[in-house]
Amino acid sequence: MTEQFNLKTTPIDSQDKIQTQQEFNNKYFTFFENAPIALMVEDFSKLKIYIEKVAKEHKTDVKSYITANPEVISKLASLIKIKEVNATALALFKAKTKQELLKDLDRTFTAKSTEAFKNLIVDLLTGKNETEAETVNKTLDGEILDISIKFKVIDGSEKTFENIIVSIEDITERINIRKALAQSEKRYRESQEVAKIGSWEYDFSSNKIHWSNEAFKLIEREPYRDLDLKFYLSYVHAEDRALVENFNIKFLLKHPNQNIKYRIVTEQGKIKYISEKRSAQIKNGRIVKIIGICQDITESVQIEQKLNVTKNLLSKTLTSIKDGFVILDHNSSYLYLNNEAANLLGIKNPEEIIGKHIWSEFPEREGDVFFDNYQKVIKTRKPVSFENYFKPWNR
């Protein structure tokens, strides 16, 4: 059976005062029992007496003794008397009754719990009336909990430690978010390196420029400290320099955010394609700083160039076909039709039909030759040849 506790004592002079005190206790206990955070009231008095006596016998202070003898923590924990726990604490540790939680409380501890408990105890014994720590506990069925635990000495118990409020908050979700954020930041740094992204900034007040290590990798040279704007411009391809070198104040005030693409010639003589996002920071109508984020897009540009060559070749091939030729997407909408197909359909501008559904041009339905063969092809994915007459075009 848990022990009833009072956080405040009132001189009792009459039956009315006794009743008032009882009402106060009942109201407080109701608040304690239904608080949305796990709470315990614990008695540390025996712990305090024991550790202060042992430290004195060894002619040292409490903190030094506990640090030098960490095994004493288990002894100190056994001297704590738990006076009360609330319903939220039972739910947190998945206990059915208060008796079950009090009897098996040691099952909620982990190796990290011991370290956190040591630090909390040292704080209390060295004069702090309130302290907290993040640690790891377990539920009675073994589920790991990240928790924030706080100790607070109740007023009047500073010398004896008879009443200490212990609050426990489940911060598992918060810790998971923190871990995910740290992992995300790590991946971001790694992705910058993989994506070949460099950055630079120019301070107008000091006329100093700073480059990231990845920016130096773009021009294929070791980091260099004595930088100025001309240094980078010297690596920009001569034909693209006009795109990059405009640092005119009026221009920057009018165009504070720019997206530019240009070529650079590296220290090794290689040509690279760069995509840069440049932003001018303006304060009180004056430019304070310019920040640039540069990405090596050489590979994607080269792929696009090759793709364009292929597209042009394909387009010329399809255009030269003497039959009508149409390409549809998976939704049966037009992606492409050559000039011969446009002539057959009576379409003057092939671009006008791109994206439209085929059945807008072929008003067919189930049972018609064209419709049924079209569905057959989609289902079997095998070529089908057929002849049919289309009344709209008299062909």
Side-chain angles (χ1 to χ4, degrees), residues 1-272:
M1 197 70 176
T2 55
E3 178 180 323
Q4 182 67 28
F5 63 93
N6 297 329
L7 299 185
K8 181 178 179 182
T9 58
T10 304
I12 301 176
D13 298 327
S14 66
Q15 188 64 34
D16 289 341
K17 288 186 177 181
I18 293 175
Q19 185 174 355
T20 300
Q21 180 66 42
Q22 187 61 45
E23 289 174 354
F24 173 82
N25 286 345
N26 290 338
K27 287 180 180 179
Y28 184 85
F29 187 78
T30 299
F31 166 78
F32 173 86
E33 184 68 13
N34 296 284
I37 190 169
L39 296 174
M40 298 183 183
V41 179
E42 301 183 358
D43 182 349
F44 283 35
S45 58
K46 290 184 179 179
L47 177 156
K48 187 174 187 293
I49 293 170
Y50 174 82
I51 193 61
E52 288 180 345
K53 179 183 177 183
V54 172
K56 186 176 181 180
E57 289 174 351
H58 287 79
K59 297 180 180 181
T60 186
D61 59 88
V62 168
K63 182 177 181 179
S64 298
Y65 182 82
I66 293 177
T67 302
N69 301 276
E71 67 279 0
V72 77
I73 292 298
S74 59
K75 171 65 177 178
L76 297 179
S78 70
L79 297 174
I80 296 174
K81 180 181 180 182
I82 301 177
K83 293 184 172 184
E84 190 58 84
V85 297
N86 70 353
T88 306
L90 298 184
L92 177 64
F93 291 107
K94 297 186 178 179
K96 295 178 181 178
T97 65
K98 293 183 179 181
Q99 289 74 19
E100 179 186 18
L101 179 59
L102 298 179
K103 177 173 67 73
D104 297 326
L105 192 63
D106 59 329
R107 286 169 49 196
T108 68
F109 298 147
T110 67
K112 289 188 176 180
S113 304
T114 302
E115 181 64 23
F117 178 73
K118 181 191 78 172
N119 295 333
L120 293 168
I121 290 299
V122 168
D123 282 349
L124 293 182
L125 293 169
T126 53
K128 291 185 179 180
N129 289 331
E130 189 170 354
T131 182
E132 64 180 288
E134 290 184 1
T135 186
V136 178
N137 272 31
K138 295 186 296 184
T139 63
L140 292 184
D141 59 8
E143 180 185 347
I144 296 296
L145 291 175
D146 289 293
I147 65 169
S148 172
I149 184 168
K150 299 180 181 179
F151 286 1
K152 179 175 176 57
V153 181
I154 296 176
D155 293 346
S157 295
E158 292 86 353
K159 293 183 178 180
T160 63
F161 284 10
E162 289 182 1
N163 288 309
I164 292 180
I165 284 281
V166 178
S167 66
I168 305 168
E169 180 184 2
D170 183 359
I171 59 170
T172 303
E173 183 177 356
R174 188 192 310 170
I175 294 296
N176 288 339
I177 292 174
R178 190 186 300 169
K179 289 177 180 177
L181 180 60
Q183 185 65 23
S184 177
E185 290 175 347
K186 179 184 177 183
R187 287 174 179 170
Y188 176 72
R189 290 192 298 270
E190 292 173 345
S191 66
Q192 275 197 323
E193 185 174 349
V194 172
K196 303 175 183 177
I197 294 176
S199 63
W200 63 270
E201 62 179 57
Y202 176 68
D203 191 319
F204 264 74
S205 60
S206 63
N207 291 324
K208 290 185 177 180
I209 188 168
H210 170 77
W211 278 25
S212 68
N213 288 339
E214 196 61 36
F216 281 101
K217 290 181 181 179
L218 291 179
I219 61 172
E220 298 181 335
R221 67 162 294 164
E222 293 298 318
Y224 177 69
R225 292 186 177 276
D226 190 16
L227 300 173
D228 56 29
L229 291 174
K230 292 181 179 180
F231 173 79
Y232 182 62
L233 291 174
S234 66
Y235 288 92
V236 177
H237 195 288
E239 295 177 4
D240 297 340
R241 202 161 291 168
L243 295 171
V244 183
E245 64 181 359
N246 195 345
F247 288 95
N248 179 275
I249 300 298
K250 290 183 179 180
F251 176 81
L252 291 173
L253 288 173
K254 189 176 180 180
H255 306 281
N257 297 303
Q258 304 169 51
N259 291 320
I260 52 180
K261 293 182 179 180
Y262 55 91
R263 291 164 293 174
I264 62 171
V265 181
T266 72
E267 191 78 11
Q268 310 302 321
K270 297 179 184 177
I271 294 179
K272 290 184 178 181

Side-chain angles (χ1 to χ4, degrees), residues 281-345:
Q281 295 183 356
I282 302 172
K283 186 175 182 181
N284 299 324
R286 296 173 62 89
I287 298 176
V288 178
K289 187 182 295 184
I290 300 178
I291 297 175
I293 305 295
C294 304
Q295 182 176 18
D296 181 357
I297 59 170
T298 304
E299 186 176 356
S300 62
V301 169
Q302 291 173 342
I303 291 173
E304 185 177 356
Q305 289 173 342
K306 291 179 181 178
L307 182 60
N308 286 335
V309 171
T310 303
K311 283 182 177 179
N312 291 334
L313 179 60
L314 177 61
S315 179
K316 290 178 181 179
T317 302
L318 296 179
T319 302
S320 65
I321 293 177
K322 298 303 180 182
D323 296 320
F325 188 89
V326 175
I327 299 177
L328 306 171
D329 66 14
H330 64 284
N331 291 319
S332 300
S333 297
Y334 289 98
L335 285 176
Y336 173 85
L337 70 163
N338 66 359
N339 291 332
E340 189 65 28
N343 291 333
L344 287 171
L345 296 174

